[in-house]
Amino acid sequence: DQQVKQNSPSLSVQEGRISILNCDYTNSMFDYFLWYKKYPAEGPTFLISISSIKDKNEDGRFTVFLNKSAKHLSLHIVPSQPGDSAVYFCAASAWSGNQFYFGTGTSLTVIP
Amino acid sequence: DVKVTQSSRYLVKRTGEKVFLECVQDMDHENMFWYRQDPGLGLRLIYFSYDVKMKEKGDIPEGYSVSREKKERFSLILESASTNQTSMYLCASSTNPGTGVNSGNTIYFGEGSWLTVV
């Protein structure tokens, strides 16, 4: 059963606007969440993470929000740039384990 | 910077061949992973290893085996390749979580190996 879900397979956004990518999880033991970006024919690269003791973490144009009660996190990209066009994966892990659980990915297209 | 290196970027193999995919990491990470990525299915875990000579099945281990003889090296083996194993294979590594809750760790990926089985 999929413990981390990304329900939007794709998203298109105009350059300069905000991109919001969503992720839901089911396991309340998860306490660390990560976002990865993947270009075609390359491996995923780490983008940003958040611990469950926080509800927001920022790094430049990227901000991740965590709503523990709703078991939901989102990645905001502002402003969006054409180079942001990629597949974005969210992932979750629990401090007691050494596994990572990935969503199925959202393909973001930023239109110039 | 963490470096995870996969030995082959592109391979074409025949059905029934034995295939080896090699992966090396240079950060002394305890954990290593093999995933495959297929369109619409995301990243699916095949096997992982949390120590030398240790292995655990992931979500889709059938048709695969692994070997970890040294801490830095994790090999994925397709004993008898089949066309449904055509995919992108991703190796990754991570440390163990820090002590206590919210001591998260990060998983680092290699560049990927595109395998086509004909």
Side-chain angles (χ1 to χ4, degrees), chain B residues 6-53:
Chain B
Q6 295 183 228
S7 57
S8 304
R9 290 299 312 277
Y10 301 96
L11 306 95
V12 179
K13 298 291 181 180
R14 294 194 180 278
T15 300
E17 274 193 81
K18 192 168 186 176
V19 182
F20 292 87
L21 298 179
E22 307 285 345
C23 174
V24 176
Q25 51 95 2
D26 66 357
M27 284 300 292
D28 201 36
H29 284 170
E30 293 84 1
N31 306 309
M32 296 190 75
F33 308 81
W34 276 105
Y35 291 88
R36 64 178 279 180
Q37 187 206 358
D38 300 288
L41 297 177
L43 302 175
R44 293 184 293 167
L45 181 64
I46 304 171
Y47 268 97
F48 73 99
S49 168
Y50 53 87
D51 202 352
V52 175
K53 298 193 185 294

Side-chain angles (χ1 to χ4, degrees), chain A residues 31-48:
Chain A
D31 71 337
Y32 194 67
F33 304 91
L34 311 95
W35 284 95
Y36 286 80
K37 177 179 180 179
K38 186 183 182 300
Y39 292 119
E42 294 183 11
T45 54
F46 171 71
L47 201 54
I48 192 169

Side-chain angles (χ1 to χ4, degrees), chain B residues 49-111:
Chain B
S49 168
Y50 53 87
D51 202 352
V52 175
K53 298 193 185 294
M54 305 303 288
K55 61 184 179 184
E56 294 283 344
K57 292 181 179 179
D59 301 318
I60 52 163
E62 296 78 18
Y64 303 94
S65 62
V66 290
S67 172
R68 193 162 181 206
E69 295 297 317
K70 294 184 178 181
K71 189 175 184 180
E72 68 271 17
R73 188 178 296 272
F74 193 35
S75 303
L76 180 69
I77 304 150
L78 286 67
E79 296 289 342
S80 178
S82 62
T83 55
N84 64 10
Q85 292 179 310
T86 292
S87 186
M88 184 180 198
Y89 290 86
L90 292 160
C91 177
S93 71
S94 76
T95 58
N96 284 326
T99 55
V101 178
N102 302 307
S103 301
N105 55 338
T106 302
I107 183 170
Y108 297 92
F109 288 88
E111 288 286 299

